[in-house]
Amino acid sequence: MSQSTNDFENAASGKQSGIVAEFFGFLKQNKKFWLLPLIIVMLLMAGLLVLSSTAAAPFIYTLF
């Protein structure tokens, strides 16, 4: 039991990774690379939504 406690304490005291690193680690470990294009498209759509409420909106609308 003390060995698992030491392992836990060592892992807890280590450097924490960010959410992007966690996500890429998840994709690599579970081999779910098909999720990457979905996430990219969702991020692009979110970026368009954010930019449509700013002064860049007239420039975005000319693309469509």
Side-chain angles (χ1 to χ4, degrees):
M1 181 87 174
S2 81
Q3 179 63 25
S4 64
T5 305
N6 283 340
D7 291 340
F8 178 76
E9 288 175 357
N10 289 337
S13 65
K15 183 182 176 210
Q16 291 184 345
S17 59
I19 191 165
V20 175
E22 288 274 340
F23 181 68
F24 282 119
F26 168 77
L27 290 178
K28 185 178 177 183
Q29 182 178 5
N30 294 318
K31 295 179 179 50
K32 298 205 181 276
F33 295 111
W34 57 270
L35 284 173
L36 200 55
L38 294 173
I39 298 298
I40 290 171
V41 168
M42 288 174 58
L43 288 174
L44 288 174
M45 294 300 285
L48 280 175
L49 281 173
V50 168
L51 289 177
S52 68
S53 63
T54 63
F59 301 110
I60 294 173
Y61 292 133
T62 58
L63 297 174
F64 300 105

